[in-house]
Each structure stands twice: as structure tokens, then as C-alpha cells.
Amino acid sequence: MKLLDLLKIRRKEMRVHEKFKEIEGVIHLRVMKRCRFMTRYWQGHHDTWALRINFARAIGWNSEASIAYAEQIHYHGQLESVYVEWAKFEVEERNNFDGARKILLSKAPLYHPKSCLIKRELFRLELLYVESLKKKQTEGKAITEVIEESREKVLQCEIPRAIYCEAIKMIPDQQLYLDLYQVADKFPFAHDLREEIYRDLVKVFPNSESVWKLKAQRVVVGIESDSSAKEGVDCEKSEETKDEDDSDSDDSDIESFMKSPVIAVDKLKVAISIYDRALKAVGPSFLATYIDELVLMLRDGWNTQVVEIVTKKLFELFESNKKLLLPLHYVIWVQLLQRQKYSKEFIGQVLKDAVETHPGSPPLCVEYLKTLLLRELRNGIKEVPKEKDMRRFKIIAKTAKGAYAVKIWEEFINSVRDRKTKVKQYIEACEVNDDIVAREMRIKYLDWLNQHTPIKKVRVAYEFYRMKPPICGRIFALMVKGELTKKCAKLGHARKVFKEASRFLGKTHPDFWLTYVYFEKFASDLNVGAVYTKAEKELLPKEAETFRQLDAFVKNFINQSKQSSEEKAAGSEPETVWLTEEKIEEPEEHKEANISLFPDGYMLTYTYDKERKAFFKVIHDMKRLLETGYEISRKGSDWEDVMKHLVGIKVPLVIQKVTLKNSPPTEDFSNITVDKKKKKKYELSDKLNPGNKKRIAKKSATNDLDAILQKSSTLKPEFMQQTEIAPYHVPKAKAKAIRKKEREKTKGPGWFDMKAPEITEEVKRDLEVLQMRPVLDPKRPYKNKDLKVLPKYFQMGEIQDSPAEFYSSRIPNKKRKRTMAEEILNDEEALGYQKRKYNEIITKKQKLEPSWKAEKGKKKKKITKKVKKGV
């Protein structure tokens, strides 16, 4: 595309317009051939289809784009968006309404017979067709596409009406009514049809929330007249408008009504009156929707007269429906009370009601405890908590567990002013039965002691908790930090802490060992090598590899920071820092209100805009907290603060949280599957046109690396712990014997590498039966010496019965046996034949036996009987 744009610019500058087919046409053809090849080679990849279609549309090959859409349907017919995009392309680019109808009427219903999206697009298509006919009529052109007899019906939107009736019969869904209503509202000539859809919606769903919201929207805009709503409107109409009808025939009056400065308050009053009636008709289930709409209008009308009206109405709803409010509604109520500067006693009462209504909501309980424990007097001094508040705190703290209980203890201890009382509460919290609470409170206790007490008290607390479960590595890190930062600290005590920590963290914490190494460098360089060797031995193989990577990373990080500091001191700009911490900012939810009070919008000053963002940020954070609950999360490693005191700069000790700032974009090959026909790899995507196209690699680099690591013995982490290694050079004789042994495992490529199975007693018996098979059946001849020796390479299978011989030659299940020998022993015909042959052999043998004639004084002579040959 860049090349084609360059050619276009060159032609314009040189004023040359010849040989377009010879230059651009050849480029178009070559690129299109590659696009076709891509779509046929990677059929399941959506981006290849989007690339082919976009390129065809860019160069003006609309027929090629239609062909691509048609081919794409065969592979991605399960996606509704493909049909919608194709129909949209046919209408907008080719003006082909018949083709778009064929897509949405005959092709899409095969895969999606009950799709609301397809029905809506078909409805919109027919309205666009009517709009095009009306445009022709106004321009004075002849409408030849439609027969004269049915032309008037088509122009009166009979076809969209028929589609609407059929759609609601097939899919009686409330959302489908609303979608079709919104589509018909955008076409001025389809307002009669819009009213018909609205009447049907009210009949079918009379007390639905969406119906009442739509009614409020219609009344505010002026489409529908509402007597009760009009009573609340204070604006007066002129004499000319009084003589006219109250209907929505004059659009200019509505536009002027919308643009007047007083209309926002009038709109709000109308909406509130309708929502009040909806609350009575629908019931308590509409309360949440009502409050959400008022909050959205409060955001849109910030720093206007709207805020007072909405706040007053919200207070009325909150006070009259306390038991029906959700936890988030109580949060909104408290925020509004704080903004209106109500007394803290009243806010505490509201939070008390919230906790009684929702006793299982931890954030509400924490907010209630804050108001009880952190009361402030007029001069700004914190008040001492009362005994009643202490009892309530004890009740909540005993029932709470996990991160929620940690938050409660933290808020309670923060409210205590006396140091001795605070220490007692810390000790009590550290002895809780819950392991999470005890571990986190011990960490907070040691951190507080490091900040407010001398090193001796920190050592006493550490000695008490270091061997008491649950054991946590952060306790050791805090003790080392205290030994490095406090006065009268000794490095010998810190070294003892490191040695004790190595017993618990030695196998799975490479960040601890790296901090230990840098501590020895800081103290004295004598023990650095011993600590490094000990780390290599005690760490697990994978953790040892991480330890080496982390060591190299920290060295580079320190060198980079030193270079940048020297450049700053010299006055030159530093080079690009290639290591930065990744920061992800979550976008705030922004939902539009049902009724737009200010269609044109208005500007807020910086102060009021900041105030509005702060107000709604608290609500957004509390909403997320109510959904997820409290979580204990610490960024980075526990030993980063210790490393900062040892090195002088903050060094991240977790490699996963460090990314390259100017690194090349990496490709994700995790979602790669294999096509059964092509046996090639391609990447799947659930988007039709995701934007940035990813290069499809024939072979993944990660797979090559894994294959190399599996074959190699030196690149594995276990290599550093081996005492002996295999020789690199193998002698020729030994290599030849190894190859021969490998060849003997299979029959060879001529027999599809048939392997030699294990010969058990049952398999050996079956092979012997096969060796003697000429004796089993006299009617079936076999070659002599067919199985003179038992085979080494063979495969065993089961003969499947033919369904055509179900009653003639099928063996019943009762007569089936496990092996061939058992089948022969249980076969009556085979046994009869064997018995008869056995008797014949015995009689024949008896006739050939020698008979002796005894004579007096003579030796016995052997006399045999002559047997005829025919017998």
C-alpha cells in the first residue's frame, strides 16, 4: 500500500497517467495472489481474510472482495459479524441491495436461524432501501426496481413491517423490540412503524424497566405527551406554539426546546416524575435502576442546578427504602452526605444502618468502624474511642478472617493514640488464631517498631516471633533493615539474621540469597564467594537459574544507573533507559445516561472537573472493592528495601515485573493450533479486523529453544550440581553397537517401523496355536514351514464381524474367549475333529506295534504284520 501511494504521488507530480495496468495493475495482481494463497493456507486465521478484503477494497476490486467474503463464509460461518460486514459492504460499496438480501435471508439463517443481530440488520437494510427509493423520487428519477402495483406499499415500509412481525414471532425477546425501535427512530419516514413497535412493546412487556426508561426518554424528547409529567415543567410556551398541536409534528420546536438553557431542569423534573410512577408500577426491583440513572445525571450535570434536584431526590429514595438499598447505594449516600457537609453523627448512623442491612459486607463494616474509632473534635484532635465502640469492634474482629480482619485491626490500631495501648493491641493482634492476620500484623508491628522505637525493642520482638509459626520472610527482612538503619546497630546481628533466614528461605528465594551476597560485599568481601557457592547448592535447579539471571540483571541495572547519574552530573542527556517498571492504569467505567440533559455538552473548570473525578473515583473504587473484597498484595520482593540500603538505589528483585522500554515487539505463539489437512501452524483470533497485523511464522522460536534445551545436557540447571559428565566423543565401535541396538528395536521402514512386543505366556500359546494351524482345519490348506519359528516382530488385532453375517457366522458373546487357545478348547467341532484324528493315529500305531513269538531255547524274533497300503 505504501508503494502504491508513492506511485500515486509520483504520477501526480510528473503528470503521467499512462501504463497504469502495466505498473499498478501488475502490483495489484501479485499482491492479490499472495493474499489468496494466505487465505487458502490459513483458513482459520481471521486476520488473513481481513487483509485480503481490505486490500481488494483499497484498490477498487469490489468483485474480488465479494468473492473473499463468500469464501470466508465456508470457514467462519459461525460468526454473525461476517454476514453483517458482507451485507454492509454490498450496500455501501456496490449499492447491491439484492445481494445483501440474499446474504441475510438465505445464507445467514442457515447458521443463525434465531439471531437478533441478523434480524436487526435485515430490518435496517430494508429501511435503507426505502430511503434510497424516496431519494430517487425526490430527485425526479423513475423507480424501475419496484412494480407499479406494489410501489406505494414499499414506500410505506410494508417490507420492514413484515420483517418485524416475523422476527418477533420467531424471537419474542424484549431486547429485539428495543433494537428495532432504535433503528426505526433514525429514519424520519419510519416513525409510524416506530410507534407500532412501541405499542407492541408496551402490550407485551407493560411493567418492564426498559419500557419505563424508553417512555421517559420519549416524553423528554417530545415524542410522547404525558399529562402528569407536564405538570412538573415550569417552562411556558409562546402563544404561537399553544395554537399548534402537542404532537411531534414540528421538529424545529423540539430542537429549539432542546437547545434552551432552562430545559435541563425541566427534563430532569419530567424524568423524575416518570421514574416515580415506574417505581410504583414495577416495584422495588426498579429502585436500583432509578438510582443508577440519577447518579449518571448527577455526573452529567455537575456544578449546575441539576445537582441540587438529584441530590434531594436521592436522599428521599435512600431514606424511604433503607432495607432495599445495595451496599454501593449506601456508599453513594455517604459520599453525598460528606459533600453536603452533614454531621459525622448522622453519617455514622447511615453506616450503622448499612452494616445492619448488609452484615456480610466487609467494606461497609470497615467504613463504619472508621467513623466510630476515628472521631475528631472541633480542634482537630482525635477523640478516644468509647467502650461501646470497643465492644462492637471486638465482635466484628472476632468474626472476620483474612485480609478483611487485617484491615479492621489496622484501622483500630491507627485510632489509638497512647503508645502503650497501641503496643498491647499490636501484641493482641499478633496472637490471633488466623494465620493470615497473625502474619500480617507481625509484619506491621515490626515495621512500626523500626520507625518509633530503639533497636533493642525491635530485637526483643524479633526474637519472640522469628521461630513462631506462621513464619514469614518479611520479618527477617525488616530485622535486617532495622540493623542497617538504626543507631547502635551491629553487622554481626544482621549476619545472624541472614543465617537464620537461610534455613527457611534457602531453597526457593533467590532474591534473599542475592541480598545476602550484596550484604557481604557491603560488610567485607571475604565471605562473598562462600555465600554465592552456598546459594548455588541449596537452591532448587530452577531457582538457581533464576538466581544467576537476577544477579546479571542487578549488575546491569546498577551500571546503567551509575552511568545515567554521571551523565546528569556532567550535564549531558542520558541514554534510553532499557529497564522500567510496568504500570497499568485501569480505565474508569463510563456509562451514558438514558436521558441526555445537555445534548451539546458544557465545559467544566479545572477545579470542578477535579472535584467530580475525585467524587466518582471513590464510588468506582468502592464498587470494585465490594465485588472483589480486600486483598493483601505487596509489590516487588520483601528484600528490596534492604537492597536499597546496601546499594544506594532501589533495585527491583523480581524479573517478571521488569520490561524493556525500547525493546522490539514480541509475538505470542501460545494460541497456535495445527491444521489437520496442511499440518502447518497458524494463529487463531476471535476478531474480524483487529488492527495491527501480526506476522505469521512458520516455525516458532520458542519451540526450537525448548527442543534444544531438551536435547542438551549442559544448558539445564541440574548441570551445575553434577560431579561427573558424559564424554563428548563416542568411539566408533561403541557408536556402531548403539546404532545396531537401536535398529533391532524395530523391523525397519519397510514394515513401518514395527516394534517387537513383549511375549507373555498367553501370547506365546497363541503363537504356538498359529504355528500348528494346518492341523486345526482340514478344509483350509496352508504352506509348509509357514511359522517354523516363533516371530519376533508382530502385531495382534481383533477381527470385526460383518453386519451382513449377523445370524450366519457371528460368534455370540457367550462363546467368545480371551485367547485363541481358549476358543479352540471350547469349540465342539474342532474338538470332535481332533478326537477323531487322535483315535485314528492311536489305532494306526497299535497295528504297527511288533509281536514276539516265543520258542523253546531260541531267542525271540521280531515279526511285523504287513499292512495294506490302502488301509
Side-chain angles (χ1 to χ4, degrees):
M1 292 303 299
K2 295 290 184 183
L3 176 61
L4 293 173
D5 292 341
L6 180 62
L7 288 172
K8 191 182 292 184
I9 295 169
R10 291 275 180 87
R11 285 184 178 277
K12 188 175 181 181
E13 289 180 353
M14 298 172 64
R15 298 180 182 179
V16 176
H17 304 286
E18 294 83 8
K19 294 187 177 181
F20 185 82
K21 291 184 179 180
E22 288 80 354
I23 301 173
E24 281 86 347
V26 173
I27 297 172
H28 295 169
L29 188 60
R30 288 180 64 186
V31 176
M32 188 54 66
K33 282 183 180 179
R34 303 312 300 168
C35 291
R36 291 170 188 163
F37 172 76
M38 288 168 61
T39 52
R40 288 163 189 167
Y41 200 75
W42 295 290
Q43 301 99 339
H45 201 298
H46 301 171
D47 299 345
T48 55
W49 292 100
L51 182 65
R52 177 180 171 184
I53 292 166
N54 292 335
F55 182 72
R57 295 178 67 175
I59 63 178
W61 289 16
N62 291 334
S63 58
E64 178 64 31
S66 298
I67 293 169
Y69 274 120
E71 292 180 7
Q72 188 182 10
I73 291 298
H74 294 291
Y75 302 102
H76 300 286
Q78 74 279 4
L79 296 176
E80 299 176 356
S81 58
V82 178
Y83 297 98
V84 174
E85 288 288 334
W86 189 8
K88 185 179 178 182
F89 165 74
E90 293 291 337
V91 173
E92 294 179 356
E93 299 292 334
R94 307 186 70 183
N95 198 21
N96 185 10
F97 285 95
D98 293 335
R101 285 194 194 95
K102 187 177 180 181
I103 295 163
L104 297 176
L105 280 173
S106 61
K107 295 186 178 181
L110 294 175
Y111 291 91
H112 310 282
K114 293 185 178 181
S115 172
C116 295
L117 179 63
I118 299 298
K119 299 295 180 185
R120 187 195 71 185
E121 291 301 317
L122 183 60
F123 184 74
R124 189 175 70 89
L125 172 68
E126 294 300 335
L127 288 176
L128 287 171
Y129 181 65
V130 175
E131 186 181 31
S132 65
L133 294 179
K134 286 183 174 293
K135 188 176 180 181
K136 279 187 178 181
Q137 194 177 27
T138 53
E139 292 175 357
K141 297 180 181 178
I143 305 174
T144 57
E145 304 96 299
V146 186
I147 306 172
E148 189 175 356
E149 298 175 356
S150 58
R151 190 175 299 166
E152 192 65 28
K153 292 183 178 180
V154 172
L155 293 174
Q156 290 177 359
C157 303
E158 290 297 328
I159 298 176
R161 187 174 282 105
I163 292 170
Y164 157 70
C165 296
E166 184 183 357
I168 61 172
K169 285 180 182 178
M170 187 180 296
I171 312 169
D173 188 11
Q174 181 181 357
Q175 189 61 37
L176 181 61
Y177 281 94
L178 294 172
D179 291 343
L180 298 181
Y181 176 88
Q182 297 296 336
V183 172
D185 186 39
K186 295 180 180 180
F187 295 91
F189 57 85
H191 284 180
D192 294 337
L193 180 58
R194 178 195 65 185
E195 297 302 318
E196 183 180 345
I197 296 171
Y198 176 71
R199 287 194 296 270
D200 294 342
L201 178 63
V202 172
K203 286 181 183 178
V204 179
F205 306 98
N207 292 327
S208 175
E209 295 182 6
S210 57
V211 172
W212 281 100
K213 288 171 67 176
L214 183 60
K215 184 175 183 180
Q217 189 178 10
R218 286 165 56 86
V219 172
V220 167
V221 174
I223 298 174
E224 184 178 351
S225 61
D226 190 77
S227 58
S228 61
K230 285 182 181 179
E231 291 176 0
V233 180
D234 296 333
C235 61
E236 297 180 357
K237 295 184 180 180
S238 60
E239 295 180 358
E240 296 178 359
T241 55
K242 285 181 181 179
D243 297 333
E244 296 176 359
D245 296 335
D246 295 335
S247 62
D248 56 341
S249 58
D250 193 2
D251 296 334
S252 61
D253 292 342
I254 296 174
E255 291 178 1
S256 61
F257 183 73
M258 294 288 291
K259 291 180 180 179
S260 60
V262 193
I263 199 62
V265 178
D266 300 332
K267 283 183 182 181
L268 183 60
K269 290 180 180 179
V270 170
I272 288 173
S273 63
I274 296 173
Y275 285 151
D276 287 338
R277 288 191 292 138
L279 185 60
K280 294 178 182 178
V282 178
S285 60
F286 188 73
L287 180 64
T289 306
Y290 192 2
I291 294 173
D292 292 343
E293 288 296 323
L294 288 176
V295 171
L296 292 174
M297 287 190 280
L298 177 68
R299 185 195 63 196
D300 294 341
W302 195 265
N303 193 31
T304 60
Q305 194 177 354
V306 172
V307 177
E308 299 177 4
I309 301 171
V310 172
T311 305
K312 184 179 179 182
K313 188 62 189 177
L314 283 172
F315 285 162
E316 291 178 6
L317 292 173
F318 291 148
E319 290 174 0
S320 59
N321 302 284
K322 288 183 179 179
K323 294 184 179 181
L324 301 175
L325 296 178
L326 299 175
L328 185 63
H329 297 159
Y330 280 103
V331 174
I332 297 170
W333 192 0
V334 171
Q335 289 297 311
L336 290 173
L337 290 174
Q338 290 177 354
R339 188 174 183 274
Q340 297 290 332
K341 297 182 180 179
Y342 275 73
S343 63
K344 293 193 175 181
E345 294 180 357
F346 186 72
I347 295 173
Q349 184 63 35
V350 171
L351 285 170
K352 182 180 179 181
D353 296 338
V355 172
E356 291 176 355
T357 308
H358 302 280
S361 179
L364 290 180
C365 294
V366 171
E367 293 297 325
Y368 179 47
L369 287 174
K370 283 183 182 179
T371 57
L372 290 176
L373 303 173
L374 301 177
R375 288 196 184 98
E376 291 184 1
L377 300 175
R378 292 182 181 179
N379 53 2
I381 302 173
K382 292 181 180 178
E383 186 181 355
V384 179
K386 298 179 181 179
E387 293 184 3
K388 294 181 180 179
D389 303 338
M390 295 288 291
R391 279 191 236 117
R392 183 173 291 277
F393 160 75
K394 294 289 184 183
I395 293 170
I396 296 175
K398 287 179 181 179
T399 57
K401 291 183 179 180
Y404 168 41
V406 174
K407 186 68 177 176
I408 291 175
W409 279 104
E410 186 180 0
E411 295 294 340
F412 173 66
I413 292 172
N414 289 337
S415 66
V416 178
R417 290 184 298 160
D418 187 17
R419 180 172 288 189
K420 292 183 180 180
T421 310
K422 186 170 284 193
V423 171
K424 289 181 181 179
Q425 296 302 328
Y426 264 122
I427 294 172
E428 186 180 352
C430 293
E431 299 297 330
V432 179
N433 293 329
D434 192 358
D435 291 344
I436 298 175
V437 180
R439 183 183 69 239
E440 295 300 323
M441 294 311 297
R442 289 173 190 176
I443 292 170
K444 293 182 183 297
Y445 182 36
L446 278 179
D447 195 10
W448 181 81
L449 288 174
N450 271 331
Q451 295 176 7
H452 300 90
T453 59
I455 190 65
K456 291 182 180 180
K457 292 188 177 182
V458 180
R459 287 172 186 163
V460 171
Y462 166 75
E463 289 293 332
F464 185 75
Y465 292 118
R466 66 183 178 86
M467 299 296 292
K468 198 170 184 180
I471 298 172
C472 177
R474 196 168 183 84
I475 293 176
F476 300 104
L478 288 171
M479 189 63 223
V480 174
K481 179 183 175 182
E483 294 289 351
L484 293 175
T485 55
K486 288 280 186 181
K487 294 181 179 179
C488 303
K490 297 180 181 179
L491 296 178
H493 289 284
R495 187 175 282 108
K496 287 181 182 179
V497 175
F498 273 113
K499 288 180 180 179
E500 290 174 354
S502 64
R503 300 175 188 174
F504 306 100
L505 311 175
K507 292 186 177 181
T508 57
H509 286 74
D511 52 345
F512 156 71
W513 283 108
L514 191 63
T515 310
Y516 194 3
V517 169
Y518 275 87
F519 169 76
E520 292 295 341
K521 288 182 181 179
F522 176 78
S524 62
D525 292 338
L526 299 176
N527 299 327
V528 174
V531 174
Y532 202 97
T533 307
K534 190 177 180 181
E536 290 279 358
K537 286 184 178 180
E538 292 195 9
L539 283 169
L540 296 174
K542 291 184 179 179
E543 300 297 336
E545 182 67 24
T546 306
F547 171 71
R548 289 187 287 273
Q549 293 177 2
L550 195 61
D551 186 20
F553 158 68
V554 170
K555 288 178 182 177
N556 291 333
F557 188 85
I558 294 171
N559 293 333
Q560 287 257 347
S561 60
K562 287 181 179 178
Q563 290 177 6
S564 60
S565 61
E566 289 175 1
E567 289 173 355
K568 283 182 181 179
S572 60
E573 295 183 359
E575 296 179 359
T576 55
V577 180
W578 59 281
L579 289 168
T580 56
E581 291 188 5
E582 196 172 327
K583 295 181 180 179
I584 301 173
E585 295 182 358
E586 295 185 359
E588 295 184 1
E589 297 181 359
H590 186 76
K591 187 179 178 182
E592 294 183 359
N594 182 41
I595 297 172
S596 179
L597 300 177
F598 300 93
D600 297 333
Y602 69 99
M603 294 294 293
L604 279 175
T605 60
Y606 175 77
T607 306
Y608 287 115
D609 187 38
K610 189 176 180 181
E611 181 185 351
R612 181 175 66 174
K613 286 181 179 179
F615 179 85
F616 285 97
K617 187 179 183 302
V618 173
I619 296 174
H620 176 69
D621 294 341
M622 188 59 68
K623 181 181 178 182
R624 185 172 53 189
L625 193 62
L626 289 168
E627 293 174 354
T628 59
Y630 289 103
E631 296 179 357
I632 299 172
S633 60
R634 284 188 288 270
K635 295 182 180 179
S637 172
D638 296 338
W639 298 89
E640 287 183 1
D641 294 338
V642 180
M643 182 66 82
K644 182 179 179 181
H645 289 283
L646 295 173
V647 180
I649 57 173
K650 187 174 182 180
V651 181
L653 294 179
V654 182
I655 295 178
Q656 287 79 4
K657 291 190 177 182
V658 178
T659 55
L660 295 177
K661 187 175 182 181
N662 298 325
S663 61
T666 57
E667 297 184 6
D668 185 16
F669 294 97
S670 59
N671 192 15
I672 292 180
T673 56
V674 180
D675 189 3
K676 294 180 180 180
K677 296 180 180 179
K678 302 292 183 181
K679 298 294 181 183
K680 297 291 182 182
K681 297 180 180 179
Y682 62 91
E683 186 178 1
L684 293 177
S685 170
D686 57 350
K687 296 181 180 179
L688 184 65
N689 187 7
N692 296 329
K693 307 298 184 295
K694 292 184 179 180
R695 181 176 58 83
I696 308 300
K698 291 186 178 180
K699 199 170 185 181
S700 173
T702 56
N703 295 338
D704 294 343
L705 182 60
D706 294 338
I708 293 170
L709 290 175
Q710 287 177 1
K711 293 180 181 178
S712 175
S713 60
T714 58
L715 295 179
K716 292 182 179 179
E718 295 86 355
F719 180 74
M720 298 298 294
Q721 298 179 350
Q722 292 180 2
T723 56
E724 295 181 359
I725 58 174
Y728 180 75
H729 178 69
V730 181
K732 289 185 179 180
K734 191 174 181 179
K736 188 176 180 181
I738 292 171
R739 289 195 298 269
K740 185 179 179 181
K741 193 175 180 180
E742 291 292 330
R743 284 198 305 271
E744 288 178 354
K745 290 181 180 179
T746 61
K747 185 68 175 174
W751 287 87
F752 303 100
D753 295 325
M754 185 188 292
K755 295 182 179 180
E758 182 183 359
I759 298 178
T760 59
E761 290 294 329
E762 294 180 353
V763 174
K764 186 178 179 181
R765 197 176 296 116
D766 288 344
L767 291 173
E768 289 175 350
V769 170
L770 284 175
Q771 196 175 17
M772 297 183 292
R773 61 184 177 177
V775 185
L776 298 176
D777 193 355
K779 298 179 181 179
R780 180 175 293 178
Y782 293 94
K783 292 181 180 180
N784 294 330
K785 300 180 182 179
D786 189 14
L787 285 174
K788 200 168 185 179
V789 184
L790 295 181
K792 183 179 179 182
Y793 306 99
F794 61 89
Q795 289 182 354
M796 300 183 71
E798 184 179 354
I799 299 173
Q800 298 293 329
D801 295 326
S802 174
E805 301 174 352
F806 186 80
Y807 296 101
S808 59
S809 63
R810 185 180 67 88
I811 301 174
N813 292 332
K814 292 182 180 180
K815 295 183 180 180
R816 293 175 187 266
K817 304 298 176 182
R818 292 187 304 108
T819 60
M820 294 173 63
E822 290 181 5
E823 286 186 1
I824 292 168
L825 290 174
N826 288 275
D827 191 358
E828 295 179 359
E829 295 181 1
L831 287 175
Y833 173 72
Q834 297 299 324
K835 192 173 182 179
R836 181 169 57 83
K837 295 297 291 183
Y838 176 76
N839 292 332
E840 288 179 2
I841 292 168
I842 293 298
T843 53
K844 186 177 179 180
K845 195 173 183 181
Q846 288 175 357
K847 289 179 181 180
L848 294 174
E849 285 182 356
S851 60
W852 300 91
K853 292 182 179 181
E855 294 181 1
K856 292 180 180 180
K858 293 184 180 180
K859 292 182 179 181
K860 294 181 180 180
K861 293 183 179 180
K862 184 178 179 180
I863 301 172
T864 58
K865 295 181 180 180
K866 293 182 180 180
V867 183
K868 293 181 181 181
K869 293 182 178 180
V871 180

